[in-house]
Amino acid sequence: MMNRLLSLPSIGLLIAALDIASSCAADWPGWRGPNRDGISRETGWITEWPKNGPEVLWRARIGLGFSGFAIKDNRLYTLGHREGTDTVYCFDSRTGDEVWSFEYESRPYARGAEGGPTSTPMVTPNHVYTFSRIGYLLCLDRLTGK
């Protein structure tokens, strides 16, 4: 199975957009955002991209998967799959530094997609919830990953 770099240009755009939005950017705690409508209520976005696109601030290799991203208090949460293991990642959204990760055994269930996680983490003030393709429901401490 081929590992993927999920920080392709779209991820770079997301990270660049986060930087552009300012330090008081709103949280995006789960799939489709705070109101589950996919609409950002932030203002001040640039209306024209630079010729080569916005600057990519950081990249991370997280493996195969189709997970979305959740953001709370400058921490970005997502999932990936490598060699029989799914991983929940927490990154500092400003620097790209990995804050913590949590791994669990999982096969790359290929029904309907190439494999790997397909859900978006849900973040609350104290916890991160994830649901794997093979039915694992996880509740992790948002700050430590335990």
PDB file of all heavy atoms in Angstrom, residues 60-73:
ATOM      1  N   ALA A  60       3.332  17.611   6.974  1.00  0.00           N
ATOM      2  CA  ALA A  60       3.477  16.450   7.857  1.00  0.00           C
ATOM      3  C   ALA A  60       3.090  15.193   7.095  1.00  0.00           C
ATOM      4  O   ALA A  60       2.101  15.188   6.374  1.00  0.00           O
ATOM      5  CB  ALA A  60       2.596  16.609   9.085  1.00  0.00           C
ATOM      6  N   ARG A  61       3.842  14.141   7.277  1.00  0.00           N
ATOM      7  CA  ARG A  61       3.505  12.834   6.697  1.00  0.00           C
ATOM      8  C   ARG A  61       2.673  12.087   7.721  1.00  0.00           C
ATOM      9  O   ARG A  61       3.152  11.813   8.815  1.00  0.00           O
ATOM     10  CB  ARG A  61       4.758  12.052   6.362  1.00  0.00           C
ATOM     11  CG  ARG A  61       5.490  12.599   5.172  1.00  0.00           C
ATOM     12  CD  ARG A  61       6.572  11.604   4.739  1.00  0.00           C
ATOM     13  NE  ARG A  61       7.287  12.125   3.599  1.00  0.00           N
ATOM     14  CZ  ARG A  61       6.919  11.940   2.331  1.00  0.00           C
ATOM     15  NH1 ARG A  61       5.863  11.237   2.051  1.00  0.00           N
ATOM     16  NH2 ARG A  61       7.619  12.457   1.346  1.00  0.00           N
ATOM     17  N   ILE A  62       1.439  11.782   7.340  1.00  0.00           N
ATOM     18  CA  ILE A  62       0.563  11.098   8.292  1.00  0.00           C
ATOM     19  C   ILE A  62       0.047   9.770   7.755  1.00  0.00           C
ATOM     20  O   ILE A  62      -0.667   9.066   8.456  1.00  0.00           O
ATOM     21  CB  ILE A  62      -0.611  11.995   8.724  1.00  0.00           C
ATOM     22  CG1 ILE A  62      -1.455  12.401   7.535  1.00  0.00           C
ATOM     23  CG2 ILE A  62      -0.093  13.209   9.463  1.00  0.00           C
ATOM     24  CD1 ILE A  62      -2.698  13.165   7.912  1.00  0.00           C
ATOM     25  N   GLY A  63       0.392   9.423   6.535  1.00  0.00           N
ATOM     26  CA  GLY A  63      -0.010   8.146   5.975  1.00  0.00           C
ATOM     27  C   GLY A  63      -1.258   8.243   5.117  1.00  0.00           C
ATOM     28  O   GLY A  63      -1.716   9.316   4.745  1.00  0.00           O
ATOM     29  N   LEU A  64      -1.823   7.082   4.845  1.00  0.00           N
ATOM     30  CA  LEU A  64      -2.993   6.946   3.990  1.00  0.00           C
ATOM     31  C   LEU A  64      -4.255   7.335   4.744  1.00  0.00           C
ATOM     32  O   LEU A  64      -4.380   7.084   5.939  1.00  0.00           O
ATOM     33  CB  LEU A  64      -3.100   5.483   3.546  1.00  0.00           C
ATOM     34  CG  LEU A  64      -4.268   5.086   2.660  1.00  0.00           C
ATOM     35  CD1 LEU A  64      -4.135   5.752   1.298  1.00  0.00           C
ATOM     36  CD2 LEU A  64      -4.316   3.580   2.519  1.00  0.00           C
ATOM     37  N   GLY A  65      -5.190   7.915   4.058  1.00  0.00           N
ATOM     38  CA  GLY A  65      -6.477   8.200   4.670  1.00  0.00           C
ATOM     39  C   GLY A  65      -7.173   9.395   4.051  1.00  0.00           C
ATOM     40  O   GLY A  65      -6.629  10.080   3.192  1.00  0.00           O
ATOM     41  N   PHE A  66      -8.379   9.602   4.503  1.00  0.00           N
ATOM     42  CA  PHE A  66      -9.221  10.664   3.981  1.00  0.00           C
ATOM     43  C   PHE A  66      -9.852  11.451   5.118  1.00  0.00           C
ATOM     44  O   PHE A  66     -10.960  11.958   5.006  1.00  0.00           O
ATOM     45  CB  PHE A  66     -10.302  10.066   3.074  1.00  0.00           C
ATOM     46  CG  PHE A  66      -9.711   9.335   1.898  1.00  0.00           C
ATOM     47  CD1 PHE A  66      -9.432   7.985   1.978  1.00  0.00           C
ATOM     48  CD2 PHE A  66      -9.403  10.007   0.732  1.00  0.00           C
ATOM     49  CE1 PHE A  66      -8.870   7.298   0.914  1.00  0.00           C
ATOM     50  CE2 PHE A  66      -8.839   9.334  -0.342  1.00  0.00           C
ATOM     51  CZ  PHE A  66      -8.570   7.972  -0.250  1.00  0.00           C
ATOM     52  N   SER A  67      -9.169  11.524   6.235  1.00  0.00           N
ATOM     53  CA  SER A  67      -9.683  12.237   7.396  1.00  0.00           C
ATOM     54  C   SER A  67      -9.693  13.735   7.139  1.00  0.00           C
ATOM     55  O   SER A  67      -8.820  14.270   6.457  1.00  0.00           O
ATOM     56  CB  SER A  67      -8.791  11.945   8.610  1.00  0.00           C
ATOM     57  OG  SER A  67      -9.211  12.664   9.735  1.00  0.00           O
ATOM     58  N   GLY A  68     -10.674  14.399   7.725  1.00  0.00           N
ATOM     59  CA  GLY A  68     -10.687  15.853   7.714  1.00  0.00           C
ATOM     60  C   GLY A  68      -9.869  16.374   8.884  1.00  0.00           C
ATOM     61  O   GLY A  68      -9.174  15.618   9.564  1.00  0.00           O
ATOM     62  N   PHE A  69      -9.974  17.664   9.128  1.00  0.00           N
ATOM     63  CA  PHE A  69      -9.223  18.302  10.188  1.00  0.00           C
ATOM     64  C   PHE A  69     -10.157  18.994  11.164  1.00  0.00           C
ATOM     65  O   PHE A  69     -11.175  19.560  10.765  1.00  0.00           O
ATOM     66  CB  PHE A  69      -8.268  19.353   9.604  1.00  0.00           C
ATOM     67  CG  PHE A  69      -7.238  18.751   8.710  1.00  0.00           C
ATOM     68  CD1 PHE A  69      -7.500  18.561   7.368  1.00  0.00           C
ATOM     69  CD2 PHE A  69      -6.027  18.356   9.214  1.00  0.00           C
ATOM     70  CE1 PHE A  69      -6.567  17.989   6.531  1.00  0.00           C
ATOM     71  CE2 PHE A  69      -5.074  17.776   8.389  1.00  0.00           C
ATOM     72  CZ  PHE A  69      -5.346  17.598   7.049  1.00  0.00           C
ATOM     73  N   ALA A  70      -9.778  18.955  12.426  1.00  0.00           N
ATOM     74  CA  ALA A  70     -10.465  19.711  13.463  1.00  0.00           C
ATOM     75  C   ALA A  70      -9.421  20.608  14.113  1.00  0.00           C
ATOM     76  O   ALA A  70      -8.257  20.212  14.265  1.00  0.00           O
ATOM     77  CB  ALA A  70     -11.090  18.776  14.494  1.00  0.00           C
ATOM     78  N   ILE A  71      -9.834  21.808  14.499  1.00  0.00           N
ATOM     79  CA  ILE A  71      -8.898  22.768  15.094  1.00  0.00           C
ATOM     80  C   ILE A  71      -9.521  23.364  16.347  1.00  0.00           C
ATOM     81  O   ILE A  71     -10.683  23.790  16.333  1.00  0.00           O
ATOM     82  CB  ILE A  71      -8.553  23.895  14.096  1.00  0.00           C
ATOM     83  CG1 ILE A  71      -7.954  23.306  12.834  1.00  0.00           C
ATOM     84  CG2 ILE A  71      -7.612  24.907  14.737  1.00  0.00           C
ATOM     85  CD1 ILE A  71      -7.824  24.290  11.691  1.00  0.00           C
ATOM     86  N   LYS A  72      -8.742  23.365  17.419  1.00  0.00           N
ATOM     87  CA  LYS A  72      -9.163  24.016  18.660  1.00  0.00           C
ATOM     88  C   LYS A  72      -7.926  24.557  19.350  1.00  0.00           C
ATOM     89  O   LYS A  72      -6.951  23.849  19.550  1.00  0.00           O
ATOM     90  CB  LYS A  72      -9.893  23.034  19.572  1.00  0.00           C
ATOM     91  CG  LYS A  72     -10.291  23.671  20.894  1.00  0.00           C
ATOM     92  CD  LYS A  72     -11.593  23.117  21.408  1.00  0.00           C
ATOM     93  CE  LYS A  72     -12.030  23.776  22.685  1.00  0.00           C
ATOM     94  NZ  LYS A  72     -12.358  25.187  22.538  1.00  0.00           N
ATOM     95  N   ASP A  73      -7.990  25.831  19.727  1.00  0.00           N
ATOM     96  CA  ASP A  73      -6.904  26.483  20.467  1.00  0.00           C
ATOM     97  C   ASP A  73      -5.537  26.258  19.821  1.00  0.00           C
ATOM     98  O   ASP A  73      -4.575  25.869  20.477  1.00  0.00           O
ATOM     99  CB  ASP A  73      -6.874  25.990  21.918  1.00  0.00           C
ATOM    100  CG  ASP A  73      -8.153  26.320  22.672  1.00  0.00           C
ATOM    101  OD1 ASP A  73      -8.813  27.311  22.304  1.00  0.00           O
ATOM    102  OD2 ASP A  73      -8.488  25.580  23.607  1.00  0.00           O
TER     103      ASP A  73
END
